[in-house]
């Protein structure tokens, strides 16, 4: 009975969002109510079951409408999202055709708008982005150690000297600055202009960073594609070649991952490294990263993540390898909300970090597989 | 690329300053905000240092040397500001200086890590192997020594020699480590904790000659009356002991293998004789202000007599305590027959070094916070103790080792050196170490300041028990 109401809810408009409506139209055609109900009953976790049991039987439509209209946390909204997800994964199989349409651009305008509103909060270490600041403790050593392994020379005090790094989705420059301090020449790009401006202002005070770190408000496609020589630094080469590309907490906000992988491949030198940190697409990541982190504990601003856009390491690895990368290591990361600190873990179910190397144009790669960080 | 002009900048700075900030009164916030926004255009002209250390004593200069030698901090601009003149010691002076410190093995390791310990041993230092501490009001005593008397327990080194050795190392450092002597700081300007984009994020240091410097991290090593600590408004728990220490250089009656440190607790305060060489020792006598002044006014012979009787006489012992002590000792030796050590008497004193009697007041102090945004306190600026345990400078060297290690790690992770995260780690680690030590020293001082029978009995039994139980002794042996 209750599952029937949940099914009804799936047909009900949620918040204004064209992507969601488009997805619902696609799925309505392909699954039967029986399939979805059965699968729904099987997969439901206990915590959400509690919420579902609390719903009144009467006036289900009204209840869901009110739930939709409220922007605060509600179990009903959570249940609805889960139902949609279950239906889609049952009907569409393992392929995520509905989530990211093949628009050949990595930028999602909804995401851009959301981050514009948060632009001024980037550098408050105890504010909305506290978890990202804390993540530097993991991702900077991750990038640094893997790059050092590939390098021959050692420069005391500036371990990454001489390397060119591209930080995709740099935001306020949280990751670009530490990499710049380690001696690398960093270019940070982000489609959100306000964030780039904040990043430039922050780096402008520090004389060490002024020469190392630069920012540009553009997308990865604009940087990678086009024959416009004017935007690129080195006239003797066609496209600027970076030693490493870092895309930390970015791929879960992108519209099209294929384009992203192709562009990364284009801007990287052969043998260059690609570092990605993102969230896995599992039940656990839904429960922890969306329900707990966003809605309960407010570790992350509400609405930051869309579970549909999460990508599993297997999926990401397949995507990268079909675009000329060889994945060297995948390592799980775990956030402790009490201490506010991140740690490495072997479990990749929630957050994970991935290191891939661009294959040389010849078939074989010479690099030995690197172990996970520390 | 940003289009902000000066007027909206100033307004923005003011606006941001009005957001309540926990530690500052509102007037200061506004004043500070205006200062920050006005000087926005000057920031490119003033040089920005990575670390400025304020205070070039033993701890401050050791910090500068330690940071300069760290491989992860190679290339970072480090500046040491010292108000006094440069202490150069081409030749070790014949007479001993009165200010000496007991350097523990841990501190010696730090100093040898920066290459200064070799200089110290080449100049002058005296290792000692045993320490005897006993009570004036009873027979109780405790001795500390390493197992087989072959290893040194600690070293007595004159403070001037330590500073001169470290200065020699600083001279040999590359040019990113600079020292400015005869430089006094008149003002500090603190940055706003949340980085407001329009204000200068660095600490500004204004010197007496009008020059201003900026730094990403300020380390305050300017002694017990630290200006850095006062200007930050860090609440400090402190009080003056109603005691002064009289220091002098003593000539012994006859040459002896002088490798024992002696300390006796008199009711007026502890008197300690620390070995300097086979014929000379250093005196540190902590006593009341009145008695200290009297001692300074005595002629040499009477002064020497006072010292000898302080170490040797038994007039403070009462029969009750003597009997009780003897009984307790008998009981303990029945349980542990082999424990305990024979009591020795210190060497007698024949004379004192010329013009070497000095006195200085004693007190205790502990800053409740060692750190603020972009600032850290080390050494006596953070904690000040009674000299009875000889730990003051060793705690400071411990701060140096800890902070260097954390800054080195932070630099290897690409972090801003003034970021609060690793500074908090430093504060936590050092407070956990320093506070128990300081409490123990203060308690000991209070316990031994009286000759009332109950307290005397308590400390007699305690001292005897500690002397006989090796585990307790080791835990006190925090050198």
């Amino acid at each position: 009975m209750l599952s029937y109401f949940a099914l009804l809810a799936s047909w009900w408009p949620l918040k204004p969002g064209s992507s969601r409506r488009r997805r619902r139209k696609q799925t309505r055609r392909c699954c039967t109510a029986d399939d979805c109900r059965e699968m729904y009953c099987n997969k439901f976790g206990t915590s959400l079951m509690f919420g579902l049991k609390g719903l009144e039987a009467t006036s289900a439509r009204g209840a869901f409408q009110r739930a939709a209209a409220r922007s605060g946390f509600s179990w009903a909204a959570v249940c609805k999202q889960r139902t949609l997800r279950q239906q889609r994964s049952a009907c569409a199989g393992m392929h995520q055709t509905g989530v990211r349409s093949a628009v050949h651009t990595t930028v999602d305008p909804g995401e851009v708008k959301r981050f514009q509103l948060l632009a001024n909060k980037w550098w408050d270490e105890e504010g909305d982005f506290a978890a990202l600041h804390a993540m530097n403790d993991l991702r900077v050593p991750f990038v640094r150690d893997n790059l050092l392994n590939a390098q021959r020379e050692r420069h005391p005090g500036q371990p990454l000297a001489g390397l060119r790094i591209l930080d995709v989705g740099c935001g306020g420059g949280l990751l670009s600055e530490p990499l710049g301090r380690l001696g690398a020449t960093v270019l940070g790009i982000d489609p959100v202009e306000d964030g780039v401006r904040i990043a430039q202002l922050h780096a402008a005070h520090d004389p060490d960073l002024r020469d190392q770190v630069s920012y540009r408000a553009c997308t990865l496609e604009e940087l990678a594609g086009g024959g416009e020589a004017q935007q690129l630094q080195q006239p003797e080469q066609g496209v600027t070649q970076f030693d490493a590309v870092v895309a930390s907490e970015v791929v879960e906000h992108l519209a099209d991952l294929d384009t992203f992988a192709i562009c990364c491949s284009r801007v990287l030198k052969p043998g260059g490294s690609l570092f990605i940190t993102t969230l896995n697409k599992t039940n656990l990541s839904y429960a922890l990263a969306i329900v707990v982190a966003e809605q309960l504990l407010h570790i992350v601003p509400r609405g930051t993540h869309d579970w549909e856009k999460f990508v599993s390491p297997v999926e990401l690895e397949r995507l990268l390898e079909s675009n000329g990368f060889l994945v060297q290591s995948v390592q799980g990361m775990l956030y402790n909300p009490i201490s506010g600190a991140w740690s490495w873990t072997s479990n990749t179910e929630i957050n994970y970090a991935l290191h891939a190397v661009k294959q040389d144009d010849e078939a074989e790669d010479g690099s030995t597989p690197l172990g996970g960080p520390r | 690329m940003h289009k902000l002009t000066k007027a909206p900048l100033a307004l923005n700075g003011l606006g941001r300053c009005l957001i309540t900030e926990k530690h500052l009164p509102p007037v200061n916030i506004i004043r500070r905000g205006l200062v920050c926004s006005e000087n926005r255009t000057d920031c490119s002209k003033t040089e920005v240092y990575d670390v400025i250390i304020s205070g070039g004593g033993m701890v401050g200069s050791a910090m500068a040397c330690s940071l300069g030698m760290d491989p992860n901090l190679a290339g970072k601009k480090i500046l040491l500001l010292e108000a006094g003149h440069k202490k150069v010691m081409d030749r070790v002076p014949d007479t001993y200086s009165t200010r000496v410190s007991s350097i523990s093995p841990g501190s010696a390791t730090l100093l040898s890590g920066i290459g200064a310990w070799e200089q110290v041993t080449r100049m002058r230092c005296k290792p000692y192997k045993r320490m005897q501490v006993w009570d004036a009001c009873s027979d109780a005593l405790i001795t500390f020594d390493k197992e087989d008397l072959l290893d040194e327990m600690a070293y007595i080194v004159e403070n001037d020699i330590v500073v001169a050795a470290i200065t020699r190392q600083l001279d040999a450092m590359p040019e990113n480590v600079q020292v400015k002597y005869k430089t006094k700081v008149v003002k500090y300007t603190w940055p706003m904790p949340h980085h407001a984009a329009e204000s200068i994020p660095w600490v500004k240091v204004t010197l007496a000659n009008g020059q201003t410097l900026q730094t990403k991290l300020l380390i305050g090593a300017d002694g017990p009356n630290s200006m850095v600590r006062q200007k930050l408004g860090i609440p400090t728990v402190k009080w003056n002991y109603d005691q002064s220490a009289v220091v002098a250089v003593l000539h012994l009656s006859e040459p002896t293998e002088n490798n024992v440190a002696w300390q006796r607790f008199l009711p007026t305060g502890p008197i300690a004789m620390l070995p300097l060489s086979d014929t000379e020792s250093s005196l540190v006598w902590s006593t009341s202000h009145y008695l200290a002044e009297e001692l300074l006014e005595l002629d040499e012979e009477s002064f020497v007599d006072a010292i000898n009787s302080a170490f040797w006489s038994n007039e403070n012992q009462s029969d009750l305590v003597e009997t009780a002590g003897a009984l307790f000792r008998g009981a303990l030796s029945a349980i542990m027959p082999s424990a305990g050590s024979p009591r020795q008497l210190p060497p007698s004193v024949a004379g004192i070094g010329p013009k070497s009697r000095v006195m200085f007041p004693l007190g205790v102090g502990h800053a409740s916070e060692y750190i603020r945004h972009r600032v850290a306190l080390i050494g006596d600026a953070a904690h000040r103790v009674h000299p009875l345990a000889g730990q003051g400078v060793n705690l400071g060297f411990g701060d140096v080792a800890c902070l260097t290690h954390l800054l080195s790690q932070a630099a290897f992770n690409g972090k801003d050196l003034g970021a609060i995260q690793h500074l908090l780690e430093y504060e936590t680690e050092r407070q956990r170490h320093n506070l128990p030590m300081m409490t123990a020293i203060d308690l000991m001082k209070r316990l031994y300041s009286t000759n009332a029978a109950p307290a005397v009995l308590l400390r007699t039994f305690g001292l005897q028990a500690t002397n006989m139980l090796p585990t307790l002794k080791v835990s006190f042996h925090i050198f």
Side-chain angles (χ1 to χ4, degrees):
Chain A
M1 183 62 166
L2 286 169
S3 55
Y4 179 62
F5 288 125
L7 193 57
L8 266 182
S10 71
W11 305 74
W12 211 259
L14 288 166
K15 300 176 196 166
S18 56
S19 52
R20 283 211 179 85
R21 267 188 227 115
R22 199 183 332 127
R23 286 200 295 275
R24 221 168 299 115
K25 286 206 187 80
Q26 287 171 355
T27 55
R28 204 181 295 170
R29 262 172 258 127
C30 59
C31 67
T32 66
D34 283 313
D35 287 345
C36 296
R37 201 183 312 134
E38 185 187 273
M39 176 251 339
Y40 172 86
C41 288
N42 287 342
K43 285 214 169 185
F44 228 52
T46 48
S47 55
L48 295 172
M49 187 66 83
F50 167 79
L52 198 56
K53 283 190 184 139
L55 291 173
E56 293 298 323
T58 57
S59 181
R61 266 192 198 187
F64 282 121
Q65 204 168 11
R66 281 194 295 279
R70 277 199 309 264
S71 56
F73 172 65
S74 69
W75 283 117
V78 167
C79 300
K80 260 181 294 186
Q81 286 200 20
R82 275 203 66 98
T83 330
L84 284 170
R85 179 172 65 86
Q86 305 291 2
Q87 288 165 1
R88 264 194 298 282
S89 56
C91 303
M94 293 312 287
H95 304 291
Q96 304 168 29
T97 48
V99 182
R100 292 184 171 90
S101 45
V103 292
H104 298 298
T105 170
T106 55
V107 174
D108 183 337
E111 304 277 358
V112 172
K113 199 159 83 164
R114 195 176 307 125
F115 276 102
Q116 228 143 26
L117 294 171
L118 294 168
N120 281 320
K121 303 190 186 171
W122 279 109
W123 284 100
D124 183 359
E125 287 181 36
E126 276 131 47
D128 284 337
F129 290 111
L132 269 184
H133 277 275
M135 203 197 272
N136 274 347
D137 290 341
L138 289 193
R139 46 188 187 169
V140 173
F142 183 58
V143 174
R144 175 198 74 208
D145 292 340
N146 281 310
L147 287 177
L148 278 179
N149 277 337
Q151 243 192 325
R152 297 295 151 231
E153 309 129 29
R154 290 272 180 273
H155 307 266
Q158 305 262 281
L160 299 181
L163 295 179
R164 302 200 60 213
I165 300 183
L166 175 68
D167 185 4
V168 180
C170 62
L174 265 62
L175 184 52
S176 310
E177 284 200 8
L179 294 176
R181 272 192 211 105
L182 290 177
T185 311
V186 184
L187 172 65
I189 62 172
D190 200 288
V192 179
E193 277 192 26
D194 290 341
V196 169
R197 188 167 59 87
I198 298 276
Q200 281 166 335
L201 281 177
H202 195 265
H205 289 297
D206 192 339
D208 298 328
L209 290 180
R210 266 180 231 147
D211 306 321
Q212 299 296 126
V213 184
S214 54
Y215 297 98
R216 198 183 295 176
C218 68
T219 63
L220 182 58
E221 305 86 78
E222 283 164 24
L223 189 72
E228 300 170 36
Q230 169 262 332
Q231 52 178 309
L232 303 167
Q233 293 294 331
Q234 292 178 313
E236 60 269 15
Q237 294 176 353
V239 179
T240 314
Q241 296 278 291
F242 293 94
D243 295 286
V245 170
V246 181
S248 178
E249 306 301 301
V250 157
V251 298
E252 68 264 22
H253 299 287
L254 294 181
D256 180 7
L257 281 184
D258 255 317
T259 313
F260 168 76
I262 294 169
C263 295
C264 283
S265 182
R266 227 181 273 167
V267 298
L268 267 179
K269 282 183 190 158
S273 289
L274 172 62
F275 298 96
I276 294 179
T277 76
T278 184
L279 293 116
N280 198 346
K281 190 173 181 180
T282 58
N283 288 340
L284 190 60
S285 74
Y286 184 83
L288 292 182
I290 306 243
V291 175
V292 174
E294 282 188 25
Q295 290 165 353
L296 288 181
L297 296 183
H298 302 293
I299 297 167
V300 174
R302 189 191 298 273
T304 302
H305 289 130
D306 177 8
W307 188 83
E308 293 305 327
K309 288 186 173 167
F310 291 179
V311 59
S312 71
V314 170
E315 183 69 32
L316 188 58
E317 193 167 335
R318 195 179 330 133
L319 175 77
L320 290 175
E321 288 186 353
S322 64
N323 280 300
F325 286 93
L326 180 68
V327 173
Q328 301 279 18
S329 67
V330 179
Q331 190 81 358
M333 309 194 296
L334 186 64
Y335 182 65
N336 180 343
I338 302 170
S339 66
W342 289 85
S343 53
W344 292 112
T345 170
S346 50
N347 183 340
T348 57
E349 291 224 349
I350 315 166
N351 293 78
Y352 64 95
L354 181 146
H355 171 222
V357 170
K358 174 178 168 180
Q359 299 287 75
D360 291 337
D361 291 331
E362 301 88 43
E364 207 37 54
D365 70 306
S367 51
T368 53
L370 297 162
R374 275 191 303 223
Chain B
M1 232 194 283
H2 56 95
K3 300 184 190 69
L4 297 171
T5 57
K6 195 139 184 257
L9 260 181
L11 279 175
N12 264 327
L14 182 59
R16 281 201 173 76
C17 298
L18 290 174
I19 299 166
T20 342
E21 205 276 317
K22 276 180 274 185
H23 306 292
L24 307 170
V27 177
N28 278 343
I29 296 174
I30 297 172
R31 202 188 312 143
R32 208 160 289 168
L34 289 172
V35 166
C36 289
S37 52
E38 276 163 26
N39 292 338
R40 173 82 172 80
T41 48
D42 294 339
C43 77
S44 49
K45 297 179 206 152
T46 345
E47 200 181 343
V48 180
Y49 287 91
D50 289 290
V51 184
I52 288 184
I53 301 161
S54 183
M58 284 192 281
V59 176
S61 35
M63 184 86 222
C65 213
S66 178
L67 289 178
M69 286 194 165
D70 191 281
N72 288 329
L73 295 165
K76 298 264 186 262
K77 295 203 277 287
I78 298 167
L79 175 66
L80 173 66
L81 297 174
E82 163 59 25
H85 58 90
K86 185 171 177 181
K87 290 193 176 55
V88 183
M89 208 181 265
D90 298 317
R91 209 179 52 84
V92 178
D94 296 326
T95 50
Y96 284 88
S97 120
T98 46
R99 299 302 300 269
V100 301
S101 301
S102 168
I103 304 288
S104 67
S107 305
T109 312
L110 169 76
L111 289 174
S112 63
I114 61 178
W117 190 244
E118 201 190 313
Q119 314 271 358
V120 167
T121 43
R122 217 183 302 146
M123 285 195 261
R124 193 156 64 194
C125 96
K126 180 72 177 141
Y128 61 95
K129 297 187 178 159
R130 205 154 67 87
M131 179 168 191
Q132 178 174 299
V133 178
W134 74 111
D135 199 340
C137 300
S138 77
D139 273 345
L141 72 85
I142 184 169
T143 57
F144 294 101
D145 48 37
K146 288 275 167 77
E147 294 270 305
D148 42 9
L149 280 187
L150 286 180
D151 288 339
E152 285 101 25
M153 210 172 89
Y155 308 85
I156 302 290
V157 190
E158 292 148 83
N159 295 356
D160 289 339
I161 288 189
V162 176
V163 177
I166 300 178
T167 306
R168 214 175 275 181
Q169 288 303 107
L170 280 172
D171 285 341
M173 298 211 114
E175 30 177 62
N176 58 306
V177 181
Q178 296 169 23
V179 189
K180 281 194 166 82
Y181 292 100
K182 305 200 76 59
T183 308
K184 205 162 149 27
V185 177
V186 296
K187 195 166 83 124
Y188 294 102
T189 311
W190 310 116
M192 304 281 280
H194 297 311
H195 181 78
E198 288 80 12
S199 64
I200 299 176
W202 316 127
V203 177
K204 224 163 67 147
V205 178
T206 312
L207 305 176
N209 61 7
Q211 200 186 353
T212 51
L213 312 165
Q214 291 179 355
T215 177
K216 299 178 191 172
L217 173 66
L218 174 73
I219 297 182
D222 40 356
N225 300 318
S226 164
M227 182 182 164
V228 175
R229 191 188 68 217
Q230 282 166 14
K231 295 292 179 195
L232 278 172
I234 291 181
T236 311
V237 175
K238 64 178 174 189
W239 57 85
N240 286 321
Y241 291 130
D242 49 0
Q243 280 188 350
S244 290
V246 176
V247 288
V249 175
L250 309 172
H251 295 300
L252 305 176
S253 328
E254 52 193 31
T256 160
E257 195 190 349
N258 198 4
N259 55 9
V260 182
W262 309 96
Q263 178 154 286
R264 192 179 199 196
F265 282 102
L266 307 173
T268 51
I271 178 170
M273 194 192 300
L274 307 169
L276 288 174
S277 73
D278 286 343
T279 51
E280 286 178 58
S281 289
S282 170
L283 171 81
V284 182
W285 191 346
S286 315
T287 181
S288 67
H289 296 303
Y290 178 68
L291 276 173
E293 278 162 13
E294 258 194 31
L295 283 171
L296 283 191
E297 276 155 26
L298 287 177
D299 61 293
E300 186 174 322
E301 225 182 282
S302 322
F303 185 62
V304 166
D305 285 339
I307 296 173
N308 281 326
S309 81
F311 273 117
W312 288 19
S313 89
N314 287 333
E315 63 189 12
N316 281 315
Q317 291 183 6
S318 70
D319 291 330
L320 162 68
V321 173
E322 233 179 282
T323 332
L327 276 175
F328 190 66
R329 206 182 8 236
L332 275 182
S333 54
I335 307 171
M336 302 192 63
S338 58
S341 29
R343 177 187 169 133
Q344 292 184 326
L345 278 177
S348 67
V349 180
I352 58 174
K355 292 198 207 133
S356 77
R357 261 186 282 176
V358 196
M359 93 181 218
F360 54 89
L362 299 178
V364 71
H366 188 255
S368 57
E369 299 167 47
Y370 287 6
I371 57 141
R372 281 286 168 86
H373 183 57
R374 296 199 183 281
V375 187
L377 298 174
I378 60 173
D380 278 358
H383 40 76
R384 180 189 179 197
V385 294
H386 196 282
L388 67 86
Q391 289 306 305
V393 79
N394 295 315
L395 292 180
F397 284 136
D399 293 347
V400 169
C402 178
L403 188 55
T404 306
H405 173 68
L406 286 169
L407 287 179
S408 169
Q409 266 186 352
F412 192 50
N413 287 339
K415 287 205 203 146
D416 183 353
L417 286 182
I420 203 110
Q421 185 192 2
H422 48 268
L423 292 182
L424 268 176
E425 269 184 58
Y426 156 72
E427 182 189 64
T428 313
E429 193 178 319
R430 288 312 295 172
Q431 283 194 338
R432 276 191 199 153
H433 179 272
N434 294 344
L435 271 172
M437 170 81 82
M438 292 178 63
T439 318
I441 295 175
D442 191 66
L443 276 177
M444 250 207 304
K445 185 255 168 204
R446 284 175 199 282
L447 189 60
Y448 278 96
S449 298
T450 168
N451 54 357
V456 174
L457 279 174
L458 174 68
R459 70 199 194 207
T460 305
F461 295 156
L463 205 58
Q464 284 176 339
T466 312
N467 194 27
M468 302 221 165
L469 296 170
T471 43
L472 257 185
K473 211 195 276 195
V474 164
S475 68
F476 279 121
H477 201 298
I478 320 165
F479 292 84

